[in-house]
Amino acid sequence: MTAGTSVLDLGCGPGTDAVPLAGRGAQVTGVDLSSAMLDRARTASAEAGVTVRLVHADMRQFVEPACYDLVISGYTSFGYFADPGWGQLVLCHAWWCLVSGGRLLMDLFSKEFFARWAGIPKTVEVDGGQLFMRDTVLDDWTRLRSDWTLVRGDTARHGFFEQFVYSAVEIRGMLAAAGFTGIVCFGGFAGDPFDNHAKRLVVEATRPPESEGIPS
Ligand SMILES: C[S@@+](CC[C@H](N)C(=O)[O-])C[C@H]1O[C@@H](n2cnc3c(N)ncnc32)[C@H](O)[C@@H]1O
């Protein structure tokens, strides 16, 4: 990435990727549905002394045509949809947001990973407490429900979220349908293969330079 690269971070959260990229000279726009997350991203960028344009928006609606060299979606920000068609729509919007030849980088927990991991209850030590997590597979492996309970002292908070989970083959098909080419899957950011050891699914795709018109 060169200084001045324009980057769109879909589901930027607390600025995990947006802030360091801005620190490397990128012109970063972070989009998120959660104002609490955007507040955290604002604080993180101020602390790092960088500027990130933060937009409170739903990635299903956010389109700025041909404005970005790179679109990223980090740490499974993709998939919190009620309808499977919305995932496809977001990928089409990402295609539109890219300049010709621009690239998309997605980082997901894949269905293949969850097949090894889901169903095993987990306990994680967190600041001053413990987090208990349990996943339930829904709709024939289309979606996953994650229940969590945070116990701190005498108090316990419970919550859950549901998300679509995608296999590498499914994401490839969706990206191709959105008009992307050069679709490559990795098992991590170091370029490891997406195999039975992969803990992440990192997908790179390109809006082809010669693309014109609406993706099929
Ligand atoms: C698991 S967090 C990851 C955040 C960040 N990318 C990171 O790597 O830390 C997912 C983020 O996606 C955001 N998100 C989920 N659905 C969204 C949507 N439809 N539009 C915009 N943001 C969304 C959430 O608010 C949350 O901040």
Side-chain angles (χ1 to χ4, degrees):
M1 194 205 71
T2 52
T5 300
S6 54
V7 180
L8 171 62
D9 186 352
L10 291 174
C12 65
T16 314
D17 298 314
V19 170
L21 285 172
R24 291 173 61 181
Q27 305 285 318
V28 186
T29 295
V31 171
D32 207 285
L33 204 49
S34 156
S35 22
M37 285 292 176
L38 290 170
D39 284 346
R40 288 176 60 186
R42 208 164 283 116
T43 303
S45 55
E47 283 173 2
V50 297
T51 302
V52 176
R53 176 180 164 233
L54 294 167
V55 181
H56 188 202
D58 190 321
M59 66 174 86
R60 289 171 297 166
Q61 281 145 13
F62 185 89
V63 192
E64 289 183 335
C67 287
Y68 297 95
D69 303 306
L70 175 67
V71 174
I72 62 171
S73 171
Y75 209 74
T76 319
S77 298
F78 180 77
Y80 296 98
F81 311 122
D83 181 300
W86 287 339
Q88 188 64 58
L89 182 71
V90 168
L91 296 183
C92 290
H93 287 172
W95 188 97
W96 277 110
C97 286
L98 286 166
V99 297
S100 288
R103 295 201 302 174
L104 171 71
L105 196 62
M106 299 178 76
D107 160 39
L108 305 163
F109 284 120
S110 66
K111 193 176 284 186
E112 292 86 342
F113 173 74
F114 280 125
R116 305 197 304 268
W117 198 68
I120 306 166
K122 285 160 270 307
T123 306
V124 180
E125 300 296 325
V126 292
D127 189 24
Q130 283 186 311
L131 183 65
F132 299 92
M133 296 178 288
R134 188 168 49 84
D135 301 316
T136 311
V137 171
L138 304 173
D139 304 339
D140 305 332
W141 274 105
T142 307
R143 294 181 304 126
L144 199 72
R145 172 182 165 122
S146 301
D147 284 87
W148 55 266
T149 305
L150 177 62
V151 179
R152 272 201 180 108
D154 295 339
T155 61
R157 279 174 56 213
H158 177 74
F160 77 93
F161 58 88
E162 292 180 2
Q163 66 190 116
F164 279 87
V165 283
Y166 304 96
S167 69
V169 166
E170 287 166 340
I171 282 287
R172 274 178 174 281
M174 290 168 72
L175 287 167
F180 285 95
T181 58
I183 304 161
V184 192
C185 296
F186 300 100
F189 286 104
D192 314 328
F194 183 70
D195 60 14
N196 52 314
H197 303 294
K199 294 202 168 73
R200 329 252 341 145
L201 170 58
V202 175
V203 192
E204 191 184 295
T206 303
R207 173 177 170 166
E210 69 279 11
S211 294
E212 285 175 10
I214 299 170
S216 58

